Amino acid sequence: MDLNREELKAVCYEVARSAMWARRPVDVDKITELAEQFERIATDHCERVISQGRDPNLITRAVQYLGRTLAPPPMGRGVSWFHGSLETLVGLACPAGRLDRNTALFLDDLAEGISRAPR
């Protein structure tokens, strides 16, 4: 399966627009620039996701999740929050290393939280 780059681009733009929200007009070029930075950060995860046999479009879903849960406006033009948060989400979806028993217990905590999430 291939990454739907157009969908990722649109989602990154929406997250950037939300992150830069203000009570005054925001220059569309600045939103576009931030969205392009988000897109570059997001596509950096493709190889890792694909190498684990996972759908690369989970990256787009992770960006959507960030936009709806972790990016309350105004976040401004910084990308460190986006980079770190996306790295964490992709790492949970596609663990890179072997977990010991105690560390793996946190995955049970996540699964419980996910099962309780309103839908």
Side-chain angles (χ1 to χ4, degrees):
M1 183 172 268
D2 292 329
L3 175 66
N4 182 335
R5 291 186 181 271
E6 288 304 311
E7 185 178 2
L8 177 62
K9 182 177 187 169
V11 168
C12 286
Y13 185 86
E14 285 305 310
V15 174
R17 189 175 62 80
S18 176
M20 292 188 71
W21 183 90
R23 292 184 182 214
R24 56 177 169 61
V26 177
D27 185 350
V28 172
D29 290 338
K30 291 180 180 178
I31 295 171
T32 301
E33 180 182 316
L34 182 60
E36 289 169 352
Q37 290 177 0
F38 288 169
E39 187 178 356
R40 280 191 296 276
I41 292 167
T43 56
D44 283 347
H45 294 283
C46 279
E47 187 176 319
R48 174 182 183 181
V49 171
I50 292 169
S51 73
Q52 291 192 17
R54 302 292 306 276
D55 176 4
N57 293 295
L58 77 80
I59 297 165
T60 302
R61 295 187 292 272
V63 172
Q64 286 174 317
Y65 180 83
L66 286 175
R68 288 185 175 77
T69 62
L70 301 175
M75 293 298 284
R77 293 190 292 175
V79 296
S80 61
W81 69 270
F82 182 86
H83 184 273
S85 298
L86 187 60
E87 178 73 29
T88 299
L89 292 176
V90 172
L92 289 169
C94 301
R98 194 168 163 86
L99 302 176
D100 64 31
R101 185 178 183 284
N102 289 328
T103 306
L105 289 174
F106 181 65
L107 297 180
D108 294 335
D109 296 329
L110 290 173
E112 182 177 342
I114 291 166
S115 71
R116 293 181 181 201
R119 296 176 192 225

